[in-house]
Amino acid sequence: MTAAVIELLPRIQPQPSARVVDIFVQYLKAEGVRVVFGIVGGLLYPFFATVEADDELELVHTKHEEGAAFMADGYARTSGKLAVCAATSGPGATNLMTGVACAFADGVPMLVITGQAASHALGKGAAQETTREDIDIVEMFRPVTKYSAMVTTAESMTHHLRRALRLALTGRPGPVHLNIPVDLWEKSARVEHRWADPSTYRPETRTFDRAAVQRAGDLLLAARHPVILAGSGVAVGGAEQQLKALVDLLPARVATTPKAKGVFPEDDPFSLGVLGVAGHADARETVLGENVDVLFTVGASLSETSTMNWTPRLMPSRALIQLDIDPDRIGRNYPVDVPLVGDAQSILVELVYHMHRRIREGSYPKSSWALAPLPRRGHQRHDDVAARASEATPVTPQRWRVDLQEVLPDDAVVFSDIGGHMLFNIHDICIRKGQRFVINMGFGSMGHGVVAPIGAALANPQRPVFAIVGDGCFTMNGMELLTAAEHDVPVIWIVENNNMHGITWHCSKLLNNGRGLPTAKLRRKLDVAALARSMGVHAEVVDAPGQIQVAVQRALRFGGPALIEVRVDGNVPCPMGERAKSLAGFIDK
Ligand SMILES: Cc1ncc(C[n+]2csc(CCOP(=O)(O)OP(=O)(O)O)c2C)c(N)n1
Ligand SMILES: [Mg+2]
């Protein structure tokens, strides 16, 4: 950051009488935090009371701490800003864990605050004490955070906090955890700790290897069939426009990973759709085909779900260029010719700049894609054409998604949860320019898609937020609809009700000669709409083709939390070919 910009940043000056908790909150506000998600409990009471009393902060009191972590995740994932979740010691803290692991797996910046017994009582067996001597909460959080520490003195609080914030927001973002004995909050803070300007404790430097970028640019210019595999790092780096500029310059063809669905608009002429689980034939045939000479992966970790179980056919004939902010992702699963370490936006800017310079010097892109037939676009690229046009009642999972497309707003944020509905979401919905698709693919926790949208809607009040989830996911975390109703958060849930864990049912049939696992079917039919109404959420049921459009329009007009239960034909198998094969492979081993 230049000196001139630093001059313009206001230095935050706390009051002389500040307590540790006041300073702490001041740091959060300087980082742009406006909402804290959590459940109040005794051993974190001073923090919650201070947040609640602060006019600039909103305390969203969830129904389960996992919901607090999921909401914080949804908030950060869709805004790029730090999100905060907090829970008391013991069970409050352990309840956060799955949500924090989701954020860690997908690189989402989050500050996790947990309570602790008073410092003078540590080791004596206080109620809900979770120290090194007993149930060690700091150690439990270590593998799912970038930093996990107990603050042991009031003096060291800001040191730990600055370190945590620096790590959460630098490099590959991620969650950080501070565990704080309850007596520290009320102590008075020493003057030298009272500075809270983010520019003074964490770098915004964006570095990359210029020579490597130039090599990558030259290889892309010389490629006859350049293909880009775009991962979720494109969205994290805010590099969607730069990606489009590169594609148009070459031109290149672009597939996305399932998690990054839509980071390159799926209705763009150069889009191949999704490569990997529930993906599209154009992406498979092109990316894994013989022709590709240069493959450029951007913010894609090349995991099982995006590589058809790490098929060797992914390797291009000439060069693999891999861009990732995390050096540990580079060359993990495929040998890389040009590694590019850094954030997607700054590297793509430099790459396009370099290529323009080469073009000015007389070079020109050798891509021959413009002469080849275009990939099938948007609605034509699907494998399941008959089910998409089906007039049957109950409606097929594909048909209601076709109907939904007609009314899905241009700026919609669409969350998916984990299950068969996720596979249909990936395969059968076309995410257009301006829309956004979000899924916790890294950890794959059910319930995230039900709850994280509440955080996303709080972070993006101007955008319509949809959650397309299964009945199984809904039963796991659906009580958070109460939280949405209390805060009037206008998420629109579309719950696909097949009265089963559909993915388990259909997958077990494939693995077991056509016999499904009986447990996967619910013993009692679930009335999702009635449950939603009982929580103060507007709800409707649809079960036939052509019905969902009106229901969605009504929910959009209504403007508060709303739910549409779609009762579907559960006999339609989800597009799970690759996943089933990989499960079968793992079981054989
Ligand atoms: C917390 C958690 N538990 C278990 C699983 C394994 N799992 C993945 S999908 C699924 C069932 C999902 O059911 P539902 O939401 O009804 O979706 P459907 O497959 O019917 O569309 C299960 C049990 C998981 N991913 N996360
Ligand atoms: Mg289901």
Side-chain angles (χ1 to χ4, degrees):
M1 194 178 293
T2 63
V5 176
I6 291 172
E7 296 292 76
L8 295 176
L9 285 170
R11 294 266 165 167
I12 291 157
Q13 295 298 336
Q15 300 308 305
S17 63
R19 302 166 301 162
V20 166
V21 67
D22 299 318
I23 304 292
F24 193 98
V25 163
Q26 206 142 25
Y27 273 85
L28 299 189
K29 289 200 265 187
E31 287 286 4
V33 173
R34 295 293 170 266
V35 189
V36 172
F37 302 94
I39 298 188
V40 178
L43 294 181
L44 195 54
Y45 178 78
F47 171 72
F48 282 118
T50 308
V51 169
E52 179 131 57
D54 194 313
D55 290 342
E56 292 171 38
L57 292 175
E58 183 176 9
L59 177 58
V60 173
H61 206 216
T62 58
K63 303 304 155 217
H64 188 289
E65 287 85 354
E66 188 183 29
F70 281 159
M71 282 182 212
D73 175 308
Y75 189 100
R77 226 178 254 257
T78 54
S79 66
K81 290 193 202 140
L82 180 83
V84 180
C85 60
T88 191
S89 191
T94 53
N95 273 353
L96 288 173
M97 193 78 71
T98 302
V100 177
C102 283
F104 185 68
D106 284 345
V108 178
M110 180 189 288
L111 175 63
V112 183
I113 306 163
T114 60
Q116 183 59 278
S119 50
H120 53 80
L122 297 183
K124 290 165 77 175
Q128 294 185 334
E129 179 185 334
T130 48
T131 50
R132 270 204 306 235
E133 289 79 1
D134 296 290
I135 294 175
D136 189 342
I137 199 70
V138 170
E139 204 53 46
M140 276 197 208
F141 272 105
R142 208 181 299 284
V144 294
T145 56
K146 291 178 78 180
Y147 182 61
S148 178
M150 186 201 282
V151 181
T152 49
T153 61
E155 287 71 32
S156 63
M157 174 78 93
T158 53
H159 163 78
H160 283 294
L161 181 56
R162 285 193 295 269
R163 187 163 187 206
L165 294 170
R166 182 162 53 246
L167 285 164
L169 292 158
T170 310
R172 185 178 195 259
V176 290
H177 168 236
L178 292 180
N179 177 251
I180 300 167
V182 63
D183 54 315
L184 302 191
W185 294 109
E186 302 279 2
K187 298 200 167 161
S188 76
R190 295 218 319 259
V191 176
E192 62 266 34
H193 297 298
R194 297 175 192 174
W195 46 278
D197 177 343
S199 69
T200 61
Y201 60 80
R202 60 179 179 85
E204 299 224 355
T205 325
R206 295 173 171 216
T207 51
F208 52 82
D209 177 346
R210 192 175 304 277
V213 172
Q214 294 182 351
R215 253 186 304 145
D218 294 345
L219 280 165
L220 284 164
L221 277 176
R224 307 266 322 153
H225 294 105
V227 167
I228 296 173
L229 178 62
S232 56
V234 173
V236 175
E240 290 90 342
Q241 282 175 21
Q242 288 75 13
L243 177 64
K244 173 80 177 133
L246 173 64
V247 172
D248 289 346
L249 179 64
L250 287 167
R253 293 208 168 156
V254 189
T256 71
T257 64
K259 188 165 94 184
K261 179 179 171 69
V263 294
F264 188 75
E266 293 187 293
D267 56 346
D268 188 284
F270 292 110
S271 164
L272 299 164
V274 172
L275 180 74
V277 70
H280 302 113
D282 277 335
R284 270 195 308 276
E285 286 158 18
T286 307
V287 185
L288 308 183
E290 301 283 295
N291 279 342
V292 182
D293 44 4
V294 175
L295 175 66
F296 181 22
T297 69
V298 185
S301 61
L302 301 178
S303 63
E304 178 203 333
T305 46
S306 59
T307 60
M308 330 290 276
N309 314 317
W310 303 289
T311 171
R313 286 187 292 137
L314 191 88
M315 276 307 287
S317 59
R318 182 128 191 254
L320 174 61
I321 306 168
Q322 192 183 356
L323 185 165
D324 207 290
I325 197 156
D326 182 0
D328 188 35
R329 298 287 196 277
I330 304 245
R332 185 188 266 195
N333 299 319
Y334 291 91
V336 172
D337 297 285
V338 184
L340 298 174
V341 180
D343 97 295
Q345 192 190 80
S346 33
I347 291 182
L348 290 183
V349 166
E350 179 64 19
L351 188 67
V352 170
Y353 181 75
H354 171 73
M355 287 163 61
H356 275 301
R357 198 168 44 215
R358 282 279 191 266
I359 291 167
R360 277 201 306 277
E361 290 165 3
S363 205
Y364 66 95
K366 306 287 187 307
S367 167
S368 60
W369 281 128
L371 308 171
L374 285 173
R376 290 172 296 168
R377 267 211 265 174
H379 303 301
Q380 284 102 51
R381 65 161 52 106
H382 305 94
D383 299 338
D384 39 8
V385 178
R388 287 172 65 85
S390 167
E391 290 294 333
T393 302
V395 67
T396 63
Q398 293 92 338
R399 173 60 200 261
W400 75 257
R401 285 174 172 84
V402 172
D403 293 345
L404 174 69
Q405 294 280 166
E406 291 175 17
V407 289
L408 205 56
D410 291 340
D411 56 348
V413 181
V414 181
F415 279 76
S416 174
D417 218 315
I418 305 292
H421 60 278
M422 161 189 87
L423 303 177
F424 287 119
N425 289 344
I426 292 171
H427 193 81
D428 284 289
I429 295 177
C430 172
I431 297 292
R432 308 187 306 265
K433 186 166 185 270
Q435 297 175 332
R436 169 120 194 235
F437 184 75
V438 188
I439 184 165
N440 86 105
M441 201 66 146
F443 202 52
S445 177
M446 289 169 73
H448 178 278
V450 177
V451 178
I454 302 173
L458 285 165
N460 303 273
Q462 71 295 352
R463 291 183 74 166
V465 177
F466 288 74
I468 308 183
V469 305
D471 51 317
C473 293
F474 180 79
T475 49
M476 271 210 188
N477 293 78
M479 292 307 282
E480 298 300 348
L481 266 64
L482 279 169
T483 315
E486 283 171 337
H487 291 262
D488 199 24
V489 187
V491 173
I492 300 177
W493 285 272
I494 303 180
V495 182
E496 180 164 72
N497 192 356
N498 51 13
N499 278 295
M500 60 168 119
H501 285 184
I503 193 166
T504 311
W505 173 254
H506 289 291
C507 229
S508 60
K509 276 174 78 174
L510 278 185
L511 298 175
N512 192 25
N513 298 324
R515 266 179 296 131
L517 193 71
T519 334
K521 293 204 166 178
L522 297 194
R523 291 179 184 214
R524 276 176 61 91
K525 277 201 186 329
L526 192 68
D527 190 341
V528 175
L531 283 167
R533 279 186 209 111
S534 75
M535 290 187 265
V537 169
H538 167 88
E540 298 193 28
V541 178
V542 307
D543 68 353
Q547 287 181 341
I548 196 161
Q549 295 93 319
V550 182
V552 167
Q553 280 160 343
R554 253 198 299 268
L556 284 167
R557 267 201 308 278
F558 169 66
L563 179 143
I564 301 164
E565 176 184 350
V566 188
R567 296 193 179 148
V568 290
D569 179 357
N571 295 315
V572 181
C574 35
M576 68 195 151
E578 289 308 313
R579 178 74 183 138
K581 266 188 243 161
S582 96
L583 281 176
F586 290 149
I587 287 168
D588 282 349
K589 283 176 203 160

